[in-house]
Amino acid sequence: MNELETLVAKAKQQFGECTNPADLENAKALYLGKSGEITALLKSLAQLSVEEKKAKGALINQAKQEIESALQSRREHLSNVELNRQLASEALDVTLPGRVRHRGGLHPVSLTLSRIEAIFRSMGFDVAQGPEIETDWFNFTALNTPADHPARSMHDTFYVEGGNLLRTHTSPMQIRYAMDHVQHHQDALKSGQRIPEIRVIAPGRTYRVDSDATHSPMFHQCEGLWLGENISFKDLKVVFTEFCKTFFETEDLKLRFRPSFFPFTEPSAEIDIQFSSGPLAGRWLEVAGSGQVHPQVVKNMGLDPENYIGFAFGMGPDRLTMLRYGVNDLRLFFDGDMRFLHQFN
Ligand code: DAH
C-alpha cells in the first residue's frame, strides 16, 4: 500500500469508530481541515514541477474524494441510528387503552351547602364563615354555657394546645358575626340610634368525639341568626318552613317545633319535618335545633336584649343531604368512594 492508500484506510477506520456526529466532525478535521493531512499534501504540491503536480495532484484528489465519501456515508449512518433511536423511544403503543378524562364534580354535601346558601340569600341573609379552631369563650361561655354547665358534656371535642378547641357547633358564629356588626355600628349605638338588623347564616365544619352510622367526628352545620327590633318565633316558623319547601322542592311537607333545651335559646325547639309522600312518608325527622336567642347571649354580643330580639337555628347539612338523596349511612360522605360520589354529578 502506498502512502495515500494508507491514509485513506486510516481515515475510513477512524470514521467507522466514531459513534456520534461531534466525534465524526473532529475526525474529519484531521484529514480535510485547515491543518488536516490531505490539506497539507495539497499544499505541498506547490513545490513540484508542472508534470509532477498533474500526476500527484490527481492521486491526492482521488484520495480526498474517497475520504469525503466515507465521511458522508458515516454521517448518514449516524443520523439513521439517531432517527431510529428517536422513533423507538417515541413509539406509540396503539393497543393501550385510551386515557379518559373524567369530569370532576361537587361533593353531595357541597351541593347541599350551595343550595342552603342560595335559598337563604334569596331571603336576604348574609353568608358568613368562621374559624374551626375556636376559643372556649366563643364556643361555650358566650353562648351561656359556663364551664360547669352539664350541656358541655354533650359537646366533647378535640382540644389543641393553649386551651382552644375544634368547634362543636357553628353557634359561636352567632357571637362573632354579631360582635363584628356591633363594632361596625358602635358610633350609632353609642348615640342611642338603632342599628341595622342582623340576618345571617354560617355554614361550616364542626367536630365532636362521636362516630357511628349517623355521627362522624367531623360533620357540617349551618347556623342561622336573625336579630332585630321585633323578630319572633313566628318569623322562625315562616323562614324555616319556606326553606324546607324550597330545599326539598315540595309543598307536601309539615314542620313540627318540639320543645327542647339549649343554653343559648329560651324558649328552644327541635325542628322536625314530615313528608307526606315518598319513601320517608309519615316519619318525623329531626333537622335542626332552634329558639329565641337568650337575653344573656344578646348581652354577650354587645346588644341590649330590651331592644334586640330574634331567633337562631342550627341545622345539619349532612342530614339534609341524606334525606334529599336517600343516603342511609353518613360515613359514605367521607369515605371518598368514587362509585358513591359519581352518582351526584
Ligand atoms: N348548636 C346546637 C347544637 O349543635 C344547635 C342549635 C340549637 C343552634 C339551637 C342554634 C339554636 O342556633 O338556636 O346542638
Side-chain angles (χ1 to χ4, degrees):
M1 252 201 284
N2 66 32
E3 192 198 355
L4 279 173
E5 283 168 349
T6 312
L7 186 61
V8 170
K10 194 172 77 168
K12 281 183 177 170
Q13 194 200 336
Q14 206 171 350
F15 293 165
E17 285 163 7
C18 293
T19 51
N20 63 65
D23 287 354
L24 183 61
E25 295 313 310
N26 288 337
K28 168 201 157 183
L30 298 177
Y31 302 93
L32 305 171
K34 262 191 204 152
S35 45
E37 296 194 45
I38 290 289
T39 319
L41 287 171
L42 288 171
K43 278 183 193 157
S44 71
L45 288 177
Q47 283 121 44
L48 303 180
S49 68
V50 177
E51 285 304 300
E52 280 175 320
K53 264 186 198 159
K54 256 194 189 167
K56 194 95 194 275
L59 288 175
I60 296 174
N61 269 328
Q62 197 197 330
K64 187 182 174 193
Q65 274 164 22
E66 277 183 59
I67 292 178
E68 278 172 344
S69 87
L71 174 70
Q72 193 50 37
S73 73
R74 187 66 187 166
R75 275 184 183 146
E76 279 162 20
H77 173 76
L78 288 183
S79 90
N80 279 341
V81 169
E82 171 60 14
L83 183 65
N84 286 334
R85 193 195 58 76
Q86 252 182 21
L87 286 175
S89 74
E90 291 166 13
L92 286 182
D93 183 348
V94 293
T95 66
L96 283 174
R99 286 184 205 147
V100 184
R101 269 211 189 195
H102 292 290
R103 269 185 83 165
L106 290 177
H107 189 278
V109 175
S110 301
L111 293 171
T112 294
L113 291 172
S114 346
R115 279 179 77 73
I116 294 175
E117 290 180 26
I119 296 167
F120 278 99
R121 276 190 207 281
S122 79
M123 293 194 272
F125 281 74
D126 191 10
V127 177
Q129 302 272 342
E132 288 168 31
I133 297 180
E134 228 355 323
T135 64
D136 185 280
W137 192 80
F138 278 115
N139 196 80
F140 292 123
T141 311
L143 289 162
N144 208 23
T145 318
D148 57 357
H149 197 288
R152 280 203 181 200
S153 64
M154 276 152 46
H155 286 236
D156 192 11
T157 183
F158 306 86
Y159 285 79
V160 299
E161 278 173 32
N164 290 340
L165 47 93
L166 298 189
R167 64 179 180 187
T168 60
H169 48 180
T170 44
S171 302
M173 279 307 292
Q174 290 185 34
I175 310 290
R176 284 185 178 275
Y177 189 89
M179 285 177 79
D180 273 0
H181 188 78
V182 165
Q183 171 75 22
H184 193 75
H185 296 283
Q186 57 177 325
D187 293 341
L189 262 184
K190 273 187 204 136
S191 62
Q193 289 168 260
R194 282 207 71 81
I195 63 170
E197 59 177 27
I198 292 170
R199 210 189 302 182
V200 66
I201 61 162
R205 280 187 277 268
T206 47
Y207 303 83
R208 279 186 215 178
V209 182
D210 237 348
S211 189
D212 59 39
T214 51
H215 296 91
S216 142
M218 190 285 295
F219 58 105
H220 296 85
Q221 279 198 346
C222 180
E223 199 72 12
L225 174 67
W226 188 349
L227 269 190
E229 190 175 0
N230 199 12
I231 307 301
S232 71
F233 231 90
K234 177 191 70 192
D235 300 292
L236 168 63
K237 284 189 164 182
V238 169
V239 164
F240 214 85
T241 305
E242 187 58 27
F243 164 72
C244 288
K245 289 183 172 171
T246 315
F247 183 84
F248 289 108
E249 296 171 277
T250 176
E251 289 288 322
D252 279 343
L253 176 129
K254 272 193 214 139
L255 267 73
R256 174 170 85 177
F257 289 75
R258 182 162 42 85
S260 184
F261 173 81
F262 298 101
F264 34 90
T265 43
E266 179 59 37
S268 308
E270 305 275 2
I271 307 178
D272 302 336
I273 62 171
Q274 187 193 56
F275 299 100
S276 49
S277 57
L280 297 167
R283 279 172 56 189
W284 284 108
L285 310 155
E286 184 185 320
V287 290
S290 67
Q292 180 175 314
V293 181
H294 194 288
Q296 184 56 48
V297 174
V298 177
K299 264 190 212 150
N300 294 343
M301 291 167 173
L303 291 168
D304 179 357
E306 295 294 327
N307 290 324
Y308 295 87
I309 190 169
F311 65 80
F313 59 82
M315 61 177 155
D318 304 326
R319 189 79 203 285
L320 292 179
T321 313
M322 292 171 80
L323 294 176
R324 181 161 142 88
Y325 295 110
V327 176
N328 53 19
D329 191 330
L330 177 70
R331 289 169 292 200
L332 284 166
F333 290 144
F334 310 118
D335 283 347
D337 186 332
M338 294 302 275
R339 290 168 304 178
F340 174 71
L341 297 173
H342 270 315
Q343 299 175 68
F344 299 91
N345 287 281

